[in-house]
Amino acid sequence: HVRRLPAGWRESQPGGIQERSREWRRAESLALLDELDAAGPPQFSSADADFADEPGAASLVALAHHADDQAETVLLKALRGCHLSNLRGMEWRAGRFVRPLLGVRKEELSAYLGALGEGWREDATNAEPTYKRNRIRLQLLPLLEELTGGGLLARLGAASEQSAQLREWLDQAHAAHVAADPAWARSGGRALSVAPLLAAQTMVQEELLHRLARGASVGRLSLTRDALRRVRAQLARSGQEWVLELSGGWLLRRTGATVSIAGAEASVAELAVGEAGVRLRHPAELAVRAGVARG
């Protein structure tokens, strides 16, 4: 099956071409799976009999990512900057997409193909040091492999596994906290009770605040590490009434025993936001400014 990009696609779609191409390929792959599923169950040869017994085996897309790709992904995340709980590689399975070769090195795959009399096919652009991922592959990975005595992938794999464990723990801690917080339930996930928030471990506090911001803003607001520190410091101070202006005009509002996220419409568009994305405002000042803006 061959699918081709429609005419004018490059000019009509926003965003980077690599990301857009990946999204298009995945969407087309899922559409092709639906077509194949609608045509009826596939016919397996005797050699594939065991595979045919796997539930859902005929409705998956196998991706060719291997262990070297996984190492590049972890290093790329580290260089871009991410939370420790997100410093993990690609998943073996994500929905209908599977990556059965994540545990195999590229050189092993190449040698296997050679033994079968098949050649390795490489995208010519992979050799161009234009993209950051290519520079990691061509320059950084060989250096780190040398410095670690060939142990780089094992160390990155351990870090990725520990990251996944940390993410699982934070997910569980978040779920347990909000389940016991009446402010969260009353507000539909737009407010937290201050006292139990401050009693939680620091990393859990930041996870709660991060998810509060992401959820209340429907993904449009993400608090930086520095912003989270400033928010936590402000929460720890005395004072029952204050407002922090966040990036994009979103507001973090302390009202008595709760802290909540207010939409951008409650802010004033012309107020500058500091480098950290946080600015403290007194409620009265915001009320006066907002009244003038709407007047």
Side-chain angles (χ1 to χ4, degrees), residues 33-45 51-54 56-59:
L33 277 188
D34 290 339
E35 293 176 15
L36 295 174
D37 288 344
Q43 300 299 315
F44 289 95
S45 67
F51 178 78
D53 292 334
E54 292 291 328
S59 302

Side-chain angles (χ1 to χ4, degrees), residues 140-154:
L140 184 58
L141 269 177
L143 175 61
L144 293 178
E145 280 272 49
E146 177 187 344
L147 293 175
T148 57
L152 177 64
L153 265 65

Side-chain angles (χ1 to χ4, degrees), residues 241-244 251-255 258-262 266 283 286:
E241 300 287 336
W242 48 259
V243 174
L244 284 175
L251 302 175
L252 184 74
R253 190 185 301 272
R254 166 77 185 267
T255 306
T258 64
V259 61
S260 61
I261 292 287
L286 279 173

